[in-house]
Amino acid sequence: MTDRTENQSTAVSFAVRRHAEPLGVPERTKLLTDPGFGRVFTDHMAVVRYTEGKGWHSAEITARKPLLLDPASAVLHYAQEIFEGLKAYRLGDGSLAMFRPDANARRFQQSAKRLAMPELPSEIFISSIRELVNIDRDWFPTVDGGSLYIRPFMFANEVFLGVKPASEYLYLVILSPVGGYFKGGAPAVSIWVSQHYTRAAPGGTGAAKCGGNYASSLVAQAEATKHGCDQVVFLDAVEHRWLEELGGMNVFLVFNDGTLQTPPLSGTILPGITRDSLITLARSEGLTVREEPYAIDQWRADANSGRLTEAFACGTAAVVTPIGRVASPDGEFKIGAGGPGQITSRLKQKLVDIQHGKAPDPHKWVYRIG
Ligand code: PLP
Ligand code: COI
């Protein structure tokens, strides 16, 4: 594929067309007290178009409304689609801030590359979010621990049924005021080990954030739910033995010598920004973090012997969520006391404090929106 970012402007200016009939204040206020996750959406959206030969154009902030798609639109047939997930947080002085949007912008480019899509310049990614959050800032939820979940995404919009990279794309951003990802704020979640289904194979799309990865995870997630578990954990596709990640979160293990371990970025798991931030925070307080493979049999043995004291899942949506119980067709085991462990809680607090501007930000992770 040719480098489609070449010779094209990296900046666009957004035309702002305000919603003619935004939701009324009483209705909005009601929604913001208990929005749940991913069910409530703000009044506006950002849209940028890409056309081969012309580059990125027609950037606008406009009313959020249904899209008009031709039935032959490429995405509906071959799933050429990628997305991102990040959050805007409220700082102590009332202003809003994003957490590491530059990292999401880079990952969006990596995902685009893998799916043979054009790479959106970081400037456009970040300014689209900045403009949209500014216009819909009154949609920040009032629920405790709430944030504005930001969902940038891009899909192939060429009207053509041949199998090839499309020549037209739509990039959009929508916003969803959210509370916790898990119902009831779950002190610890239970995990089902998928023995039959895998998420990603070497050479596949595991490290890209593309819709297809999530489509293929749903049947395994349904199996987890059927067995009374909150989430599914996938094993590697070659040996069905090594821990990879959950359907929408990375995984960490904490041992009784105070060290941590997480599966390496081998190309089959998503390089989580929360994962990377926690590794940095843990190492900066002197903890050892190994990025090494960990076998499912070892997990069971270490949990039973007491060598493993804590485990947690992490991601933008889930933040840091302790894993209390692991189940599979071979039986189940509990981790530690089945609730949040000390190291898990401490790292979570450190991360959340930086995100909310309550602790110093030595890594310059927080981008103020205003
Ligand atoms: N793994 C998968 C499959 C995910 O969908 C996510 C969430 O985006 C993560 C891991 C965690 O990534 P991040 O911390 O960047 O949100
Ligand atoms: C996120 O954490 O942003 C995700 O995309 C994962 C999904 C489970 C909501």
Side-chain angles (χ1 to χ4, degrees):
M1 199 184 78
T2 52
D3 178 0
R4 298 177 184 205
T5 55
E6 228 171 34
N7 298 329
Q8 279 158 12
S9 159
T10 58
V12 296
S13 63
F14 284 82
V16 178
R17 294 180 231 290
R18 281 191 173 266
H19 202 306
E21 291 177 39
L23 194 70
V25 175
E27 293 98 319
R28 186 180 69 210
T29 305
K30 187 158 175 258
L31 287 173
L32 295 180
T33 57
D34 184 20
F37 189 95
R39 297 193 178 279
V40 175
F41 298 95
T42 69
D43 288 322
H44 297 89
M45 63 184 183
V47 186
V48 185
R49 292 173 186 274
Y50 178 90
T51 309
E52 206 166 76
K54 186 171 175 189
W56 303 96
H57 63 94
S58 309
E60 59 176 351
I61 305 288
T62 187
R64 192 183 63 83
K65 56 181 178 293
L67 303 171
L68 203 59
L69 288 187
D70 191 285
S73 181
V75 67
L76 300 177
H77 303 272
Y78 312 123
Q80 212 189 351
E81 189 269 354
I82 57 170
F83 67 97
E84 267 304 324
L86 65 163
K87 284 175 174 171
Y89 302 93
R90 194 180 290 290
L91 306 180
D93 62 5
S95 61
L96 300 183
M98 306 175 251
F99 185 71
R100 305 189 69 182
D102 53 325
N104 292 91
R106 266 196 306 278
R107 190 170 66 189
F108 199 59
Q109 291 170 343
Q110 294 307 313
S111 299
K113 212 184 277 183
R114 180 61 184 85
L115 276 280
M117 297 165 90
E119 290 173 52
L120 183 76
S122 295
E123 294 87 338
I124 301 180
F125 183 91
I126 293 176
S127 64
S128 63
I129 296 172
R130 202 178 274 285
E131 301 259 350
L132 182 62
V133 171
N134 254 324
I135 209 163
D136 276 340
R137 56 187 307 121
D138 290 343
W139 279 90
F140 199 91
T142 47
V143 64
D144 216 24
S147 56
L148 256 187
Y149 184 79
I150 303 161
R151 171 55 60 86
F153 61 107
M154 174 163 64
F155 62 87
N157 196 28
E158 185 179 353
V159 177
F160 178 61
L161 289 185
V163 180
K164 67 156 186 92
S167 60
E168 283 178 38
Y169 296 87
L170 262 185
Y171 163 75
L172 295 101
V173 188
I174 52 173
L175 301 176
S176 177
V178 298
Y181 186 70
F182 293 106
K183 275 204 193 85
V189 293
S190 50
I191 302 291
W192 174 255
V193 182
S194 180
Q195 292 192 330
H196 181 67
Y197 300 107
T198 54
R199 177 182 174 277
T205 57
K209 202 159 167 65
C210 58
N213 287 347
Y214 297 79
S216 71
S217 77
L218 297 178
V219 65
Q221 178 59 42
E223 194 180 270
T225 307
K226 198 175 93 194
H227 287 91
C229 292
D230 300 303
Q231 282 288 310
V232 58
V233 66
F234 290 99
L235 303 178
D236 75 289
V238 178
E239 295 184 62
H240 286 242
R241 178 173 173 221
W242 305 101
L243 232 56
E244 295 247 297
E245 63 179 329
L246 275 50
M249 292 149 226
N250 293 115
V251 61
F252 278 76
L253 308 137
V254 184
F255 298 91
N256 59 3
D257 60 359
T259 63
L260 289 91
Q261 188 158 336
T262 190
L265 299 181
S266 54
T268 55
I269 68 171
L270 193 77
I273 293 155
T274 317
R275 173 190 182 279
D276 182 74
S277 307
L278 291 169
I279 290 175
T280 303
L281 292 177
R283 287 184 180 153
S284 70
E285 65 168 77
L287 296 175
T288 296
V289 186
R290 291 179 297 277
E291 295 178 70
E292 289 170 13
Y294 190 68
I296 181 67
D297 293 342
Q298 192 71 44
W299 200 2
R300 181 189 305 278
D302 287 345
N304 289 337
S305 74
R307 178 175 174 252
L308 181 84
T309 49
E310 307 173 30
F312 63 85
C314 68
T316 297
V319 196
V320 172
T321 302
I323 298 171
R325 184 169 67 88
V326 180
S328 77
D330 301 333
E332 63 175 66
F333 55 93
K334 210 165 93 173
I335 296 169
Q342 261 183 18
I343 293 184
T344 305
S345 303
R346 196 170 74 233
L347 285 175
K348 176 180 180 182
Q349 198 60 46
K350 274 203 156 180
L351 178 71
V352 170
D353 282 351
I354 296 175
Q355 288 169 335
H356 291 84
K358 291 184 184 160
D361 176 24
H363 309 287
K364 305 255 179 301
W365 284 340
V366 175
Y367 279 50
R368 262 174 201 276
I369 296 174

